[in-house]
Amino acid sequence: MSQPNLANKDTAEQCKDIGKQALLRGDYPKAIKFFEKSMSLYPISGVPEMRDRAVRERAAAAQKARDKAASPGGNGTTGRAGGAAPPVSPGTSGRGHTPEQAAIVSKVLAVAKKGHYEVLGLEKGKASEDAVKKAYRKLALKLHPDKNAAPQADAAFKAVGLAYAVLSDPQKRSNYDQFGADDPTGEGGGGNPFAGMRRRRAGGHQHPGAVDPEDIFNMFFGGGMGGVQFHNMRRPQERRQQQQQQQ
């Protein structure tokens, strides 16, 4: 093995410094290029580690960009004039959310119009009562507005609540299985994921047959939620009022 040429040390130092500045700016390709050039000229302590760091951070930045592009509104626009940001749904204002939270909201809303089984990820005719409960529990905990601040999380939470309300009730499930979107009783929700949540009388009083996703959630978990606690179990309107008072 040939000995490193001491005459190249100064140039290697210069390459290291250029690579370091590029790394701090987030210019990872340039940083990697000059670190590798420095390593080829003369072995300088710390350069291989900085090169490895640049490689890792470049990969992390690329993954972050892919996640953002895959999430709803990931390009920062909604297709409206001026690239306006999408409206923030109740309970999400001022809080960040992860790509995974946005992804599950998008997934639920994408299948909401297909039917309740699709919302819960179940197969019609084969889903047992326990399977319905298990599917609801898993999704409700991930979509509750106090935990998920992604846009439209409330809508996805409502869709999951209605699906559970229908499929956990033997009579409603029977009607839904038989008539689907054409359920003459109107209790199955049909192809509209929020139909069962809109039957309200004048004055805002809820119809006896209407579904409130918060009530379903509270009744299902009984306040304990299997060790999971939310600090604010109020309805969306109450949460918004609380946020305004705190501002």
Side-chain angles (χ1 to χ4, degrees), residues 147-169:
K147 184 175 183 180
N148 191 327
Q152 296 187 294
D154 276 351
F157 179 66
K158 290 176 182 178
V160 169
L162 179 57
Y164 176 74
V166 172
L167 300 184
S168 64
D169 184 289

